[in-house]
Amino acid sequence: MRSLTTRLGALALAGVLGLTACSFDSGSSTGDGTGATTLRVANPTPVVSLNPFAANSADQPTLTVVQEVFETLVVRENGEIAPKLAESWTNPDPLTWQFVLRKDVTFADGTPMTSADAKASLQALIDGKGPLAGLWATVDEIGTPDEHTLTIHTSSELGTVLSNLTLLWIAPAAKLADSAFFNAPYGTGPFKVSSFTAGQSVELTRNDNYRGDQPKLETISYRYIPEVSGRVTALSNNEIDVTWGLPPDQLTGLRDNDALTVESFPTYANYYIWFNSSREPFTDARVRQAMWHAVDFGRINDSLFDQAGTAATGPLPEAIFGAAGQNPYAYDPAKAKQLLTEAGYPNGFTTSMMWSTGCCTNGNSFADAMISDWAKVGIVVKPEELERATWLDKLLKLDWDSTMTTGSTITGDADFTLARLYLSTANRNGYANPELDRILLAARAELDQDKRADLYAQAGKIVWDDAVGIFPLDLSGNVVLRKGVEGFTPTPNDLPDFAGVSLR
């Protein structure tokens, strides 16, 4: 078997020189007689960091890899919270959560995992001030009464503790302050990182100290192939075993390939078009509603998104805790014109819509179709396709009229999206509604999960009826596997997990 160093060096060289994958690897079996194998993965977006405690704590490429290395105290299974590194939990009082940790857990280096590691990991996430830090804003004390007990005390009731913990990865306390650790991190999971070249490749090897069933794979080798055509060719040429996130127009041909299996599945992700509610004319809800009624999303979805998603019934995909179906916006150009007239724009207006290059499935075609329909009611929309860094800078500065993007509620809990994006204090889209704030804050503080779900249904109705954005499509995920890749189970968070995979 070629050494990991040699293989990764070839990967890096191929990335620099623009070579195709066939120049360095043509098969997945190690051929050493033990049945050990390497899964060759082509990720559609680059992995630029393996540190899940700071700026990349909500980054899909980062989380896809680190989920094989680190574990969390709890997980979401079939929509319900289940134990993982924590055996059980209680609320001694409304402001305190107490977790009993498993006693049979070690890190990949053989060191026992204790409550000190869990405490340090949560503190690192808070101190990292990344996109997930705000989920823990009310934490005022983290305690470790003994080696296997963790307590989290909050300044106000926090009903999202369990869902938030599904994104808290437990790492060795002694390593968290060492930035070099995240070049080849290890945790309590079934794999550990053996090599990492930011933006190019990651190599995982099996963690022989893993307490559970040992993975059948010896190695998982990720490399970044940015072009759709490059990934499709690599699949067809047996240069990779798995990839995902391909556009719908590519999947039909791949389904006809007897050497491949295409799996599509519902996810926590959706398409949305936001309006800047702090900027005219979108300060008026009637204008925002008119934009929705003016577009024939049924026709667009059928032509552009076959098997890529389903028509949305609310601002959150149905599988998310707290999602609730809302009354649909019918395609009604006459209604759109009526609303525009009532708002003082009988002849329409001129505006713009921005999005980032490569942000979305069939994004440019989707934008063109909407712009065409808006023009029919007198709304002239200037398209602005921007590099992602520029788009993000303008987004955060509220320097835009409207924007098209996709997002995922990766915790599976409505708070992650509704409170993070639509509270007035978030100021993500210029929308401010004191009643919505009241409901979202009440839901976040509520410990009774049934009551939380009811409150989020109310919040979703406000966001939908006020047309803070247009929510046309709940996205399906897709994974393409070579025949012989067995044991893969799709997950709605759209983070492909390969720990249970084997190669025949």
Side-chain angles (χ1 to χ4, degrees):
M1 182 177 70
R2 210 181 315 180
S3 73
L4 296 179
T5 303
T6 301
R7 292 182 68 244
L8 192 63
L11 280 167
L13 181 61
V16 171
L17 299 181
L19 302 178
T20 59
C22 59
S23 61
F24 57 86
D25 202 350
S26 60
S28 53
S29 174
T30 62
D32 61 4
T34 67
T37 50
T38 295
L39 183 73
R40 302 163 301 168
V41 179
N43 44 299
T45 45
V47 181
V48 297
S49 172
L50 294 179
N51 182 347
F53 298 99
N56 292 84
S57 60
D59 187 51
Q60 192 262 4
T62 296
L63 299 185
T64 296
V65 175
V66 302
Q67 69 178 343
E68 314 288 7
V69 175
F70 300 113
E71 293 179 300
T72 54
L73 297 184
V74 301
V75 293
R76 187 176 293 276
E77 293 180 348
N78 301 317
E80 302 294 329
I81 298 294
K84 188 67 172 180
L85 295 179
E87 291 181 341
S88 61
W89 51 87
T90 56
N91 291 112
D93 61 69
L95 300 180
T96 305
W97 293 75
Q98 183 165 291
F99 297 85
V100 177
L101 309 187
R102 295 180 58 148
K103 298 179 175 64
D104 61 342
V105 181
T106 62
F107 291 106
D109 67 348
T111 305
M113 183 208 72
T114 71
S115 56
D117 301 301
K119 174 181 178 177
S121 297
L122 177 53
Q123 193 63 58
L125 185 63
I126 294 170
D127 293 344
K129 298 181 180 179
L132 300 186
L135 301 178
W136 300 100
T138 62
V139 171
D140 59 11
E141 185 179 358
I142 309 168
T144 54
D146 59 54
E147 286 193 344
H148 299 289
T149 303
L150 175 77
T151 60
I152 300 173
H153 191 273
T154 58
S155 57
S156 58
E157 294 180 23
L158 185 62
T160 59
V161 165
L162 294 177
S163 63
N164 293 351
L165 285 175
T166 64
L167 289 177
L168 174 67
W169 310 96
I170 307 304
K175 301 293 185 180
L176 281 164
D178 180 6
S179 60
F181 170 70
F182 293 103
N183 293 329
Y186 58 84
T188 64
F191 291 90
K192 57 186 177 181
V193 179
S194 56
S195 298
F196 171 47
T197 302
Q200 296 183 35
S201 59
V202 187
E203 196 98 356
L204 306 185
T205 55
R206 194 163 50 202
N207 171 15
D208 293 332
N209 285 326
Y210 185 58
R211 68 190 179 282
D213 295 336
Q214 279 289 311
K216 295 186 171 91
L217 297 172
E218 181 184 61
T219 309
I220 304 176
S221 180
Y222 300 83
R223 61 190 177 94
Y224 172 45
I225 302 179
E227 299 84 6
V228 169
S229 60
R231 285 185 282 143
V232 171
T233 299
L235 280 168
S236 300
N237 291 347
N238 190 20
E239 297 162 10
I240 59 173
D241 300 305
V242 58
T243 192
W244 63 93
L246 294 173
D249 60 342
Q250 295 289 336
L251 297 180
T252 301
L254 294 175
R255 286 189 175 95
D256 294 336
N257 188 327
D258 291 338
L260 304 175
T261 298
V262 178
E263 295 196 24
S264 297
F265 47 92
T267 72
Y268 294 151
N270 62 347
Y271 236 120
Y272 54 92
I273 299 93
W274 265 352
F275 304 113
N276 185 345
S277 295
S278 66
R279 179 178 289 187
E280 297 285 354
F282 300 119
T283 53
D284 193 319
R286 293 170 296 187
V287 172
R288 304 192 298 264
Q289 293 159 354
M291 297 285 283
W292 203 329
H293 282 299
V295 178
D296 187 353
F297 286 108
R299 173 184 57 81
I300 294 173
N301 290 352
D302 289 344
S303 63
L304 293 180
F305 300 111
D306 178 40
Q307 302 186 67
T310 57
T313 59
L316 298 172
E318 294 180 359
I320 292 169
F321 171 83
Q326 308 296 338
N327 293 325
Y329 281 78
Y331 171 53
D332 190 342
K335 177 70 171 178
K337 290 182 178 179
Q338 175 191 338
L339 288 166
L340 289 173
T341 298
E342 292 175 1
Y345 299 94
N347 300 316
F349 56 89
T350 298
T351 186
S352 64
M353 181 175 70
M354 70 171 191
W355 66 93
S356 66
T357 300
C359 75
C360 322
T361 299
N362 285 343
N364 288 13
S365 297
F366 190 26
D368 289 344
M370 288 187 291
I371 288 170
S372 176
D373 279 356
W374 283 323
K376 295 172 185 176
V377 299
I379 301 171
V380 178
V381 179
K382 175 186 175 183
E384 294 182 349
E385 183 182 4
L386 306 171
E387 291 299 320
R388 182 168 179 80
T390 303
W391 171 82
L392 185 59
D393 182 65
K394 289 173 69 71
L395 181 75
L396 296 178
K397 292 177 179 176
L398 283 178
D399 182 20
W400 48 277
D401 294 332
S402 63
T403 187
M404 176 182 72
T405 189
T406 61
S408 180
T409 306
I410 53 179
T411 62
D413 188 293
D415 179 84
F416 183 82
T417 289
L418 293 182
R420 187 171 60 93
L421 300 180
Y422 298 103
L423 278 171
S424 300
T425 52
N427 197 29
R428 295 296 299 275
N429 46 44
Y431 181 77
N433 184 327
E435 177 62 10
L436 179 61
D437 290 349
R438 183 191 67 78
I439 293 171
L440 289 174
L441 292 174
R444 177 174 279 181
E446 179 59 62
L447 300 185
D448 185 309
Q449 299 303 301
D450 290 336
K451 291 180 180 178
R452 286 186 69 230
D454 290 341
L455 289 166
Y456 287 126
Q458 296 174 39
K461 178 175 173 57
I462 292 174
V463 171
W464 181 272
D465 290 349
D466 255 7
V468 181
I470 294 175
F471 305 91
L473 195 70
D474 292 342
L475 293 170
S476 296
N478 66 70
V479 171
V480 185
L481 311 155
R482 293 199 62 77
K483 291 289 174 65
V485 178
E486 299 179 343
F488 174 78
T489 302
T491 52
N493 62 12
D494 206 17
L495 301 175
D497 182 0
F498 305 116
V501 164
S502 62
L503 286 171
R504 173 169 49 80

